[in-house]
Amino acid sequence: MLIDKIALVLAIIGALNWGSIGLFGFDVVAFICGGQMAIISRIIYTLVGLAGLWCVSLLFRESAVSDTN
């Protein structure tokens, strides 16, 4: 599903950003978008948070396994 892929990409972006904060003390999103309180940064942070919530649903879905034999 397309929304699943978009959510995963956003969650990965968020994870990489948090990794850079943890390792280097550098917030990539804030650097690119003009600070943590800039409206575009806040939108990105919100979308990443929503994507993370959506990805939780991936844990509880039953995968459709097709039998090709």
Side-chain angles (χ1 to χ4, degrees):
M1 207 157 132
L2 180 62
I3 194 164
D4 294 340
K5 291 180 182 180
I6 292 170
L8 283 172
V9 167
L10 287 171
I12 290 167
I13 289 169
L16 292 173
N17 191 54
W18 274 109
S20 73
I21 292 170
L23 291 172
F24 310 113
F26 183 71
D27 187 341
V28 177
V29 173
F31 176 75
I32 291 172
C33 300
Q36 287 183 336
M37 295 309 290
I39 189 70
I40 190 72
S41 294
R42 295 182 63 176
I43 290 169
I44 292 171
Y45 296 142
T46 302
L47 290 174
V48 167
L50 291 172
L53 289 174
W54 183 266
C55 287
V56 170
S57 74
L58 297 176
L59 294 172
F60 299 104
R61 283 194 217 159
E62 292 190 28
S63 60
V65 179
S66 61
D67 189 13
T68 57
N69 292 335

Short mmCIF file of all heavy atoms in Angstrom, two decimals:
data_model
loop_
_atom_site.label_atom_id
_atom_site.label_comp_id
_atom_site.label_asym_id
_atom_site.label_seq_id
_atom_site.Cartn_x
_atom_site.Cartn_y
_atom_site.Cartn_z
N MET A 1 0.85 -1.17 0.00
CA MET A 1 0.00 0.00 0.00
C MET A 1 0.90 1.25 0.00
O MET A 1 1.91 1.29 0.69
CB MET A 1 -0.87 -0.04 1.25
CG MET A 1 -2.15 0.67 1.12
SD MET A 1 -3.29 -0.01 2.34
CE MET A 1 -3.90 1.45 3.03
N LEU A 2 0.52 2.24 -0.74
CA LEU A 2 1.32 3.45 -0.90
C LEU A 2 1.52 4.19 0.42
O LEU A 2 2.63 4.64 0.73
CB LEU A 2 0.69 4.37 -1.93
CG LEU A 2 1.44 5.68 -2.20
CD1 LEU A 2 2.82 5.38 -2.76
CD2 LEU A 2 0.65 6.56 -3.14
N ILE A 3 0.46 4.30 1.21
CA ILE A 3 0.59 5.04 2.47
C ILE A 3 1.57 4.34 3.42
O ILE A 3 2.27 4.99 4.19
CB ILE A 3 -0.79 5.27 3.13
CG1 ILE A 3 -0.66 6.32 4.23
CG2 ILE A 3 -1.36 3.98 3.65
CD1 ILE A 3 -1.97 6.89 4.68
N ASP A 4 1.64 3.02 3.35
CA ASP A 4 2.60 2.28 4.17
C ASP A 4 4.03 2.64 3.79
O ASP A 4 4.88 2.86 4.65
CB ASP A 4 2.41 0.77 4.02
CG ASP A 4 1.09 0.28 4.56
OD1 ASP A 4 0.47 0.99 5.38
OD2 ASP A 4 0.67 -0.82 4.16
N LYS A 5 4.29 2.72 2.49
CA LYS A 5 5.64 3.06 2.02
C LYS A 5 6.01 4.50 2.38
O LYS A 5 7.14 4.76 2.79
CB LYS A 5 5.75 2.84 0.52
CG LYS A 5 5.70 1.38 0.15
CD LYS A 5 5.81 1.16 -1.33
CE LYS A 5 5.71 -0.32 -1.63
NZ LYS A 5 5.81 -0.60 -3.05
N ILE A 6 5.07 5.41 2.23
CA ILE A 6 5.32 6.81 2.60
C ILE A 6 5.60 6.91 4.09
O ILE A 6 6.54 7.60 4.52
CB ILE A 6 4.12 7.70 2.20
CG1 ILE A 6 4.01 7.79 0.68
CG2 ILE A 6 4.25 9.09 2.82
CD1 ILE A 6 2.74 8.43 0.19
N ALA A 7 4.81 6.20 4.90
CA ALA A 7 5.01 6.22 6.35
C ALA A 7 6.37 5.65 6.71
O ALA A 7 7.06 6.19 7.58
CB ALA A 7 3.89 5.45 7.05
N LEU A 8 6.77 4.57 6.06
CA LEU A 8 8.07 3.98 6.34
C LEU A 8 9.21 4.93 5.97
O LEU A 8 10.18 5.07 6.72
CB LEU A 8 8.23 2.65 5.61
CG LEU A 8 7.49 1.48 6.24
CD1 LEU A 8 7.55 0.26 5.31
CD2 LEU A 8 8.05 1.14 7.60
N VAL A 9 9.09 5.61 4.84
CA VAL A 9 10.13 6.56 4.43
C VAL A 9 10.23 7.69 5.45
O VAL A 9 11.33 8.08 5.86
CB VAL A 9 9.85 7.11 3.01
CG1 VAL A 9 10.71 8.32 2.70
CG2 VAL A 9 10.07 6.02 1.97
N LEU A 10 9.09 8.23 5.87
CA LEU A 10 9.10 9.31 6.87
C LEU A 10 9.66 8.83 8.20
O LEU A 10 10.40 9.55 8.87
CB LEU A 10 7.70 9.88 7.04
CG LEU A 10 7.19 10.74 5.89
CD1 LEU A 10 5.72 11.07 6.08
CD2 LEU A 10 8.02 12.01 5.76
N ALA A 11 9.32 7.60 8.59
CA ALA A 11 9.85 7.06 9.85
C ALA A 11 11.36 6.87 9.76
O ALA A 11 12.09 7.13 10.73
CB ALA A 11 9.16 5.74 10.18
N ILE A 12 11.85 6.46 8.61
CA ILE A 12 13.30 6.31 8.41
C ILE A 12 13.98 7.68 8.48
O ILE A 12 15.03 7.82 9.11
CB ILE A 12 13.59 5.59 7.09
CG1 ILE A 12 13.17 4.12 7.19
CG2 ILE A 12 15.07 5.70 6.71
CD1 ILE A 12 13.13 3.39 5.87
N ILE A 13 13.38 8.67 7.84
CA ILE A 13 13.94 10.04 7.92
C ILE A 13 14.00 10.49 9.37
O ILE A 13 15.01 11.04 9.82
CB ILE A 13 13.10 11.01 7.06
CG1 ILE A 13 13.31 10.73 5.58
CG2 ILE A 13 13.44 12.47 7.39
CD1 ILE A 13 12.35 11.45 4.66
N GLY A 14 12.94 10.25 10.12
CA GLY A 14 12.93 10.62 11.53
C GLY A 14 13.99 9.88 12.33
O GLY A 14 14.66 10.46 13.18
N ALA A 15 14.15 8.59 12.04
CA ALA A 15 15.16 7.80 12.75
C ALA A 15 16.57 8.30 12.44
O ALA A 15 17.41 8.41 13.34
CB ALA A 15 15.03 6.32 12.37
N LEU A 16 16.82 8.62 11.19
CA LEU A 16 18.14 9.14 10.83
C LEU A 16 18.39 10.50 11.47
O LEU A 16 19.51 10.78 11.93
CB LEU A 16 18.28 9.23 9.30
CG LEU A 16 18.33 7.89 8.57
CD1 LEU A 16 18.29 8.12 7.06
CD2 LEU A 16 19.55 7.09 8.97
N ASN A 17 17.36 11.32 11.53
CA ASN A 17 17.50 12.63 12.18
C ASN A 17 17.79 12.45 13.67
O ASN A 17 18.68 13.11 14.21
CB ASN A 17 16.24 13.47 11.96
CG ASN A 17 16.45 14.91 12.37
OD1 ASN A 17 17.38 15.57 11.91
ND2 ASN A 17 15.59 15.41 13.23
N TRP A 18 17.06 11.56 14.33
CA TRP A 18 17.31 11.31 15.75
C TRP A 18 18.69 10.71 15.96
O TRP A 18 19.36 11.01 16.96
CB TRP A 18 16.24 10.41 16.35
CG TRP A 18 15.06 11.20 16.81
CD1 TRP A 18 13.84 11.23 16.24
CD2 TRP A 18 15.01 12.09 17.92
NE1 TRP A 18 13.02 12.10 16.92
CE2 TRP A 18 13.73 12.64 17.96
CE3 TRP A 18 15.93 12.48 18.87
CZ2 TRP A 18 13.34 13.55 18.92
CZ3 TRP A 18 15.55 13.40 19.83
CH2 TRP A 18 14.26 13.92 19.85
N GLY A 19 19.12 9.88 15.04
CA GLY A 19 20.47 9.32 15.13
C GLY A 19 21.53 10.41 15.05
O GLY A 19 22.52 10.39 15.79
N SER A 20 21.32 11.37 14.15
CA SER A 20 22.29 12.46 14.03
C SER A 20 22.28 13.36 15.27
O SER A 20 23.31 13.88 15.69
CB SER A 20 22.05 13.28 12.76
OG SER A 20 20.91 14.09 12.88
N ILE A 21 21.11 13.51 15.87
CA ILE A 21 21.03 14.29 17.11
C ILE A 21 21.77 13.54 18.23
O ILE A 21 22.54 14.14 18.99
CB ILE A 21 19.56 14.55 17.50
CG1 ILE A 21 18.90 15.50 16.50
CG2 ILE A 21 19.47 15.14 18.93
CD1 ILE A 21 17.40 15.64 16.66
N GLY A 22 21.53 12.25 18.32
CA GLY A 22 22.16 11.46 19.38
C GLY A 22 23.66 11.35 19.24
O GLY A 22 24.40 11.45 20.22
N LEU A 23 24.13 11.15 18.02
CA LEU A 23 25.56 10.95 17.80
C LEU A 23 26.35 12.25 17.72
O LEU A 23 27.47 12.34 18.21
CB LEU A 23 25.80 10.14 16.52
CG LEU A 23 25.36 8.68 16.56
CD1 LEU A 23 25.47 8.07 15.18
CD2 LEU A 23 26.19 7.91 17.56
N PHE A 24 25.76 13.24 17.06
CA PHE A 24 26.52 14.45 16.76
C PHE A 24 25.92 15.72 17.35
O PHE A 24 26.50 16.80 17.23
CB PHE A 24 26.64 14.63 15.24
CG PHE A 24 27.11 13.41 14.53
CD1 PHE A 24 26.28 12.72 13.66
CD2 PHE A 24 28.40 12.92 14.72
CE1 PHE A 24 26.71 11.58 13.00
CE2 PHE A 24 28.84 11.79 14.07
CZ PHE A 24 28.00 11.12 13.21
N GLY A 25 24.74 15.63 17.97
CA GLY A 25 24.08 16.82 18.48
C GLY A 25 23.64 17.76 17.37
O GLY A 25 23.57 18.97 17.57
N PHE A 26 23.35 17.19 16.20
CA PHE A 26 23.02 18.00 15.02
C PHE A 26 21.65 17.60 14.48
O PHE A 26 21.44 16.46 14.09
CB PHE A 26 24.10 17.79 13.95
CG PHE A 26 23.89 18.61 12.71
CD1 PHE A 26 24.08 19.98 12.74
CD2 PHE A 26 23.51 18.03 11.52
CE1 PHE A 26 23.90 20.75 11.61
CE2 PHE A 26 23.32 18.79 10.38
CZ PHE A 26 23.52 20.15 10.43
N ASP A 27 20.72 18.54 14.46
CA ASP A 27 19.37 18.33 13.96
C ASP A 27 19.34 18.71 12.48
O ASP A 27 19.32 19.89 12.12
CB ASP A 27 18.38 19.16 14.77
CG ASP A 27 16.94 18.87 14.44
OD1 ASP A 27 16.65 18.31 13.37
OD2 ASP A 27 16.07 19.23 15.26
N VAL A 28 19.32 17.70 11.62
CA VAL A 28 19.38 17.92 10.17
C VAL A 28 18.14 18.68 9.69
O VAL A 28 18.24 19.61 8.88
CB VAL A 28 19.53 16.59 9.41
CG1 VAL A 28 19.52 16.80 7.91
CG2 VAL A 28 20.81 15.88 9.83
N VAL A 29 16.96 18.28 10.17
CA VAL A 29 15.72 18.93 9.74
C VAL A 29 15.74 20.41 10.10
O VAL A 29 15.42 21.26 9.27
CB VAL A 29 14.49 18.22 10.34
CG1 VAL A 29 13.21 18.99 10.05
CG2 VAL A 29 14.38 16.80 9.81
N ALA A 30 16.14 20.72 11.32
CA ALA A 30 16.19 22.12 11.74
C ALA A 30 17.22 22.89 10.93
O ALA A 30 16.98 24.04 10.54
CB ALA A 30 16.52 22.22 13.23
N PHE A 31 18.34 22.27 10.63
CA PHE A 31 19.38 22.93 9.84
C PHE A 31 18.88 23.25 8.43
O PHE A 31 19.07 24.36 7.93
CB PHE A 31 20.63 22.03 9.75
CG PHE A 31 21.71 22.58 8.89
CD1 PHE A 31 22.50 23.63 9.34
CD2 PHE A 31 21.95 22.07 7.62
CE1 PHE A 31 23.51 24.15 8.55
CE2 PHE A 31 22.95 22.58 6.82
CZ PHE A 31 23.73 23.63 7.29
N ILE A 32 18.21 22.30 7.81
CA ILE A 32 17.73 22.49 6.43
C ILE A 32 16.57 23.48 6.38
O ILE A 32 16.47 24.28 5.45
CB ILE A 32 17.32 21.14 5.81
CG1 ILE A 32 18.56 20.27 5.60
CG2 ILE A 32 16.57 21.33 4.50
CD1 ILE A 32 18.25 18.85 5.16
N CYS A 33 15.71 23.44 7.40
CA CYS A 33 14.46 24.21 7.34
C CYS A 33 14.46 25.50 8.14
O CYS A 33 13.44 26.15 8.25
CB CYS A 33 13.31 23.32 7.80
SG CYS A 33 13.11 21.86 6.77
N GLY A 34 15.58 25.87 8.74
CA GLY A 34 15.64 27.17 9.40
C GLY A 34 15.34 27.17 10.87
O GLY A 34 14.84 28.17 11.40
N GLY A 35 15.61 26.08 11.57
CA GLY A 35 15.42 26.03 13.02
C GLY A 35 14.26 25.14 13.41
O GLY A 35 13.38 24.85 12.61
N GLN A 36 14.29 24.73 14.69
CA GLN A 36 13.26 23.81 15.17
C GLN A 36 11.87 24.42 15.20
O GLN A 36 10.88 23.72 15.07
CB GLN A 36 13.62 23.32 16.57
CG GLN A 36 14.75 22.34 16.59
CD GLN A 36 15.01 21.82 17.99
OE1 GLN A 36 14.67 22.47 18.98
NE2 GLN A 36 15.60 20.65 18.07
N MET A 37 11.77 25.71 15.39
CA MET A 37 10.47 26.34 15.49
C MET A 37 9.95 26.89 14.16
O MET A 37 8.85 27.44 14.12
CB MET A 37 10.50 27.45 16.55
CG MET A 37 10.76 26.93 17.96
SD MET A 37 9.66 25.58 18.46
CE MET A 37 8.12 26.45 18.61
N ALA A 38 10.72 26.74 13.10
CA ALA A 38 10.24 27.17 11.78
C ALA A 38 9.04 26.31 11.40
O ALA A 38 8.97 25.12 11.72
CB ALA A 38 11.35 27.03 10.74
N ILE A 39 8.10 26.89 10.72
CA ILE A 39 6.85 26.20 10.40
C ILE A 39 7.10 24.93 9.58
O ILE A 39 6.48 23.90 9.82
CB ILE A 39 5.82 27.14 9.72
CG1 ILE A 39 4.46 26.47 9.61
CG2 ILE A 39 6.30 27.58 8.36
CD1 ILE A 39 3.76 26.29 10.93
N ILE A 40 8.03 24.98 8.64
CA ILE A 40 8.30 23.80 7.81
C ILE A 40 8.92 22.68 8.64
O ILE A 40 8.59 21.51 8.47
CB ILE A 40 9.16 24.14 6.57
CG1 ILE A 40 9.21 22.96 5.60
CG2 ILE A 40 10.55 24.55 6.97
CD1 ILE A 40 7.94 22.71 4.87
N SER A 41 9.77 23.03 9.60
CA SER A 41 10.34 22.02 10.50
C SER A 41 9.25 21.37 11.33
O SER A 41 9.21 20.15 11.49
CB SER A 41 11.37 22.63 11.44
OG SER A 41 12.49 23.09 10.73
N ARG A 42 8.36 22.18 11.84
CA ARG A 42 7.27 21.65 12.67
C ARG A 42 6.35 20.76 11.86
O ARG A 42 5.85 19.75 12.37
CB ARG A 42 6.51 22.80 13.32
CG ARG A 42 7.42 23.55 14.31
CD ARG A 42 6.72 24.64 15.01
NE ARG A 42 5.64 24.05 15.80
CZ ARG A 42 4.87 24.76 16.60
NH1 ARG A 42 5.04 26.04 16.72
NH2 ARG A 42 3.92 24.17 17.29
N ILE A 43 6.12 21.10 10.60
CA ILE A 43 5.31 20.25 9.73
C ILE A 43 6.00 18.91 9.51
O ILE A 43 5.37 17.85 9.59
CB ILE A 43 5.02 20.97 8.40
CG1 ILE A 43 4.06 22.14 8.62
CG2 ILE A 43 4.45 19.99 7.37
CD1 ILE A 43 3.90 23.06 7.43
N ILE A 44 7.30 18.95 9.24
CA ILE A 44 8.05 17.71 9.03
C ILE A 44 8.04 16.86 10.29
O ILE A 44 7.80 15.65 10.24
CB ILE A 44 9.48 18.01 8.56
CG1 ILE A 44 9.45 18.60 7.15
CG2 ILE A 44 10.35 16.75 8.60
CD1 ILE A 44 10.77 19.14 6.67
N TYR A 45 8.29 17.47 11.46
CA TYR A 45 8.25 16.73 12.71
C TYR A 45 6.88 16.09 12.93
O TYR A 45 6.78 14.95 13.39
CB TYR A 45 8.59 17.63 13.90
CG TYR A 45 9.98 18.20 13.91
CD1 TYR A 45 10.21 19.50 14.34
CD2 TYR A 45 11.07 17.45 13.48
CE1 TYR A 45 11.49 20.03 14.37
CE2 TYR A 45 12.36 17.98 13.49
CZ TYR A 45 12.55 19.27 13.94
OH TYR A 45 13.82 19.79 13.96
N THR A 46 5.82 16.82 12.62
CA THR A 46 4.46 16.30 12.78
C THR A 46 4.20 15.13 11.84
O THR A 46 3.64 14.11 12.25
CB THR A 46 3.43 17.42 12.54
OG1 THR A 46 3.68 18.49 13.47
CG2 THR A 46 2.01 16.91 12.71
N LEU A 47 4.62 15.28 10.58
CA LEU A 47 4.43 14.19 9.62
C LEU A 47 5.21 12.95 10.02
O LEU A 47 4.70 11.82 9.89
CB LEU A 47 4.84 14.65 8.21
CG LEU A 47 3.93 15.67 7.54
CD1 LEU A 47 4.54 16.14 6.22
CD2 LEU A 47 2.54 15.09 7.32
N VAL A 48 6.42 13.14 10.52
CA VAL A 48 7.23 12.00 10.98
C VAL A 48 6.54 11.33 12.17
O VAL A 48 6.48 10.09 12.24
CB VAL A 48 8.66 12.44 11.32
CG1 VAL A 48 9.41 11.36 12.07
CG2 VAL A 48 9.41 12.81 10.04
N GLY A 49 6.01 12.11 13.09
CA GLY A 49 5.30 11.55 14.24
C GLY A 49 4.06 10.76 13.82
O GLY A 49 3.81 9.66 14.31
N LEU A 50 3.29 11.31 12.90
CA LEU A 50 2.11 10.61 12.39
C LEU A 50 2.51 9.34 11.65
O LEU A 50 1.84 8.31 11.75
CB LEU A 50 1.30 11.53 11.47
CG LEU A 50 0.60 12.70 12.17
CD1 LEU A 50 -0.02 13.64 11.14
CD2 LEU A 50 -0.46 12.20 13.15
N ALA A 51 3.60 9.42 10.90
CA ALA A 51 4.10 8.24 10.19
C ALA A 51 4.49 7.15 11.18
O ALA A 51 4.24 5.96 10.95
CB ALA A 51 5.28 8.60 9.30
N GLY A 52 5.11 7.54 12.28
CA GLY A 52 5.47 6.57 13.31
C GLY A 52 4.24 5.89 13.89
O GLY A 52 4.24 4.67 14.09
N LEU A 53 3.20 6.66 14.13
CA LEU A 53 1.95 6.07 14.63
C LEU A 53 1.36 5.11 13.60
O LEU A 53 0.87 4.04 13.95
CB LEU A 53 0.94 7.17 14.97
CG LEU A 53 1.26 7.99 16.20
CD1 LEU A 53 0.26 9.13 16.35
CD2 LEU A 53 1.25 7.12 17.44
N TRP A 54 1.41 5.49 12.34
CA TRP A 54 0.89 4.62 11.28
C TRP A 54 1.69 3.32 11.22
O TRP A 54 1.14 2.24 11.04
CB TRP A 54 0.94 5.33 9.93
CG TRP A 54 0.34 4.50 8.84
CD1 TRP A 54 0.98 3.64 8.00
CD2 TRP A 54 -1.04 4.43 8.49
NE1 TRP A 54 0.10 3.05 7.16
CE2 TRP A 54 -1.16 3.51 7.43
CE3 TRP A 54 -2.18 5.04 8.98
CZ2 TRP A 54 -2.38 3.20 6.84
CZ3 TRP A 54 -3.40 4.73 8.38
CH2 TRP A 54 -3.48 3.82 7.33
N CYS A 55 3.01 3.42 11.40
CA CYS A 55 3.87 2.23 11.33
C CYS A 55 3.58 1.26 12.47
O CYS A 55 3.83 0.06 12.32
CB CYS A 55 5.34 2.64 11.32
SG CYS A 55 5.86 3.36 9.75
N VAL A 56 3.06 1.75 13.58
CA VAL A 56 2.66 0.85 14.67
C VAL A 56 1.60 -0.11 14.16
O VAL A 56 1.59 -1.30 14.51
CB VAL A 56 2.16 1.65 15.89
CG1 VAL A 56 1.52 0.75 16.92
CG2 VAL A 56 3.30 2.44 16.51
N SER A 57 0.71 0.38 13.31
CA SER A 57 -0.34 -0.49 12.77
C SER A 57 0.24 -1.62 11.92
O SER A 57 -0.37 -2.68 11.79
CB SER A 57 -1.35 0.32 11.96
OG SER A 57 -0.80 0.70 10.70
N LEU A 58 1.42 -1.40 11.34
CA LEU A 58 2.04 -2.44 10.53
C LEU A 58 2.41 -3.66 11.39
O LEU A 58 2.42 -4.79 10.89
CB LEU A 58 3.31 -1.91 9.85
CG LEU A 58 3.12 -0.78 8.85
CD1 LEU A 58 4.48 -0.31 8.33
CD2 LEU A 58 2.23 -1.22 7.71
N LEU A 59 2.69 -3.43 12.66
CA LEU A 59 3.04 -4.53 13.55
C LEU A 59 1.87 -5.48 13.80
O LEU A 59 2.07 -6.65 14.06
CB LEU A 59 3.53 -3.98 14.89
CG LEU A 59 4.84 -3.22 14.89
CD1 LEU A 59 5.07 -2.59 16.26
CD2 LEU A 59 5.98 -4.12 14.51
N PHE A 60 0.66 -4.96 13.74
CA PHE A 60 -0.50 -5.73 14.12
C PHE A 60 -1.31 -6.23 12.93
O PHE A 60 -2.34 -6.87 13.12
CB PHE A 60 -1.39 -4.90 15.05
CG PHE A 60 -0.67 -4.52 16.31
CD1 PHE A 60 -0.20 -3.22 16.48
CD2 PHE A 60 -0.43 -5.45 17.29
CE1 PHE A 60 0.47 -2.87 17.64
CE2 PHE A 60 0.25 -5.11 18.45
CZ PHE A 60 0.70 -3.82 18.63
N ARG A 61 -0.87 -5.96 11.74
CA ARG A 61 -1.57 -6.44 10.56
C ARG A 61 -1.13 -7.86 10.23
O ARG A 61 0.02 -8.21 10.41
CB ARG A 61 -1.25 -5.58 9.34
CG ARG A 61 -1.98 -4.30 9.36
CD ARG A 61 -1.88 -3.68 8.01
NE ARG A 61 -1.75 -2.25 8.19
CZ ARG A 61 -1.26 -1.42 7.31
NH1 ARG A 61 -0.82 -1.87 6.17
NH2 ARG A 61 -1.18 -0.14 7.56
N GLU A 62 -2.08 -8.62 9.73
CA GLU A 62 -1.71 -9.94 9.24
C GLU A 62 -1.22 -9.78 7.81
O GLU A 62 -1.87 -9.14 6.99
CB GLU A 62 -2.91 -10.87 9.29
CG GLU A 62 -3.34 -11.19 10.71
CD GLU A 62 -4.36 -12.29 10.75
OE1 GLU A 62 -4.37 -13.14 9.84
OE2 GLU A 62 -5.16 -12.27 11.68
N SER A 63 -0.06 -10.36 7.54
CA SER A 63 0.46 -10.24 6.19
C SER A 63 -0.25 -11.23 5.29
O SER A 63 -0.53 -12.36 5.66
CB SER A 63 1.97 -10.49 6.18
OG SER A 63 2.23 -11.80 6.65
N ALA A 64 -0.54 -10.77 4.10
CA ALA A 64 -1.18 -11.62 3.11
C ALA A 64 -0.09 -12.39 2.37
O ALA A 64 0.61 -11.85 1.54
CB ALA A 64 -2.00 -10.79 2.14
N VAL A 65 0.04 -13.66 2.71
CA VAL A 65 1.04 -14.49 2.08
C VAL A 65 0.35 -15.30 0.99
O VAL A 65 -0.59 -16.03 1.26
CB VAL A 65 1.69 -15.44 3.11
CG1 VAL A 65 2.72 -16.33 2.43
CG2 VAL A 65 2.32 -14.64 4.24
N SER A 66 0.82 -15.13 -0.23
CA SER A 66 0.21 -15.87 -1.33
C SER A 66 1.01 -17.14 -1.58
O SER A 66 2.22 -17.16 -1.55
CB SER A 66 0.16 -15.02 -2.59
OG SER A 66 1.46 -14.66 -2.99
N ASP A 67 0.30 -18.20 -1.82
CA ASP A 67 0.92 -19.50 -2.09
C ASP A 67 1.06 -19.64 -3.59
O ASP A 67 0.07 -19.76 -4.31
CB ASP A 67 0.06 -20.62 -1.50
CG ASP A 67 0.77 -21.96 -1.58
OD1 ASP A 67 1.99 -21.97 -1.85
OD2 ASP A 67 0.08 -22.99 -1.36
N THR A 68 2.28 -19.60 -4.08
CA THR A 68 2.53 -19.66 -5.51
C THR A 68 2.90 -21.04 -5.99
O THR A 68 3.28 -21.23 -7.13
CB THR A 68 3.66 -18.68 -5.91
OG1 THR A 68 4.82 -19.01 -5.17
CG2 THR A 68 3.24 -17.26 -5.64
N ASN A 69 2.80 -22.05 -5.12
CA ASN A 69 3.16 -23.41 -5.52
C ASN A 69 2.08 -24.07 -6.30
O ASN A 69 1.00 -24.11 -6.17
CB ASN A 69 3.51 -24.26 -4.29
CG ASN A 69 4.80 -23.77 -3.66
OD1 ASN A 69 5.63 -23.16 -4.33
ND2 ASN A 69 4.95 -24.01 -2.37
#
